[in-house]
């Protein structure tokens, strides 16, 4: 599994996306989906938006390789700060307990 967290530029008082920013995030989503479409072993499984951050979760066979590819996508959106990772999750706890 790999995850990607983007810090919203202008979150509302509840820490969620404002309508004005949503259009920018749709473009980012399309770029991420296009990158995932190049890899049959990568599947988008969920998203969480809270506290001014938006997290995407992807199950994949090669999380480190996917991290590199997602980083290249994010390079095209320099106004967004982001973090990403690929924790070991052999027990599927993220999927079963979180998503």
């Amino acid at each position: 599994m790999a995850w990607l967290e983007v810090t919203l530029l202008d979150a509302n008082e509840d820490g969620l996306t404002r309508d004005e920013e949503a259009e920018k995030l749709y473009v980012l989503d399309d770029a991420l989906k296009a990158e995932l479409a190049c890899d049959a072993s990568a599947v988008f499984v969920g998203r969480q938006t809270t506290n001014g951050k938006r997290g995407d979760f992807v199950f994949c066979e090669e999380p480190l390789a996917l991290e590199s590819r997602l980083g290249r996508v994010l390079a095209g959106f320099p106004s967004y700060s982001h973090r990403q990772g690929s924790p070991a999750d052999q027990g599927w706890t993220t999927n079963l307990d979180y998503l």
Side-chain angles (χ1 to χ4, degrees):
M1 183 188 81
W3 58 269
L4 170 67
E5 180 184 85
V6 174
T7 302
L8 301 178
L9 299 175
D10 185 29
N12 69 17
E13 58 279 354
D14 295 320
L16 302 175
T17 309
R18 293 183 187 274
D19 291 341
E20 301 82 29
E21 187 171 8
E23 293 300 322
K24 295 175 188 173
L25 292 170
Y26 295 150
V27 174
L28 173 57
D29 288 346
D30 289 344
L32 292 172
K33 287 177 185 174
E35 186 62 38
L36 292 175
C38 296
D39 183 353
S41 70
V43 178
F44 173 81
V45 292
R47 170 176 296 136
Q48 178 189 33
T49 304
T50 186
N51 295 326
K53 302 196 184 305
R54 182 173 173 149
D56 291 321
F57 300 88
V58 178
F59 284 125
C60 55
E61 288 182 12
E62 299 293 335
L64 293 178
L66 182 62
E67 275 189 61
S68 174
R69 292 172 37 216
L70 294 179
R72 286 194 301 271
V73 170
L74 266 292
F77 299 86
S79 58
Y80 284 102
S81 62
H82 70 281
R83 298 182 321 137
Q84 60 188 50
S86 53
D89 192 17
Q90 294 178 347
W92 289 67
T93 57
T94 301
N95 183 48
L96 297 173
D97 298 337
Y98 186 71
L99 295 174

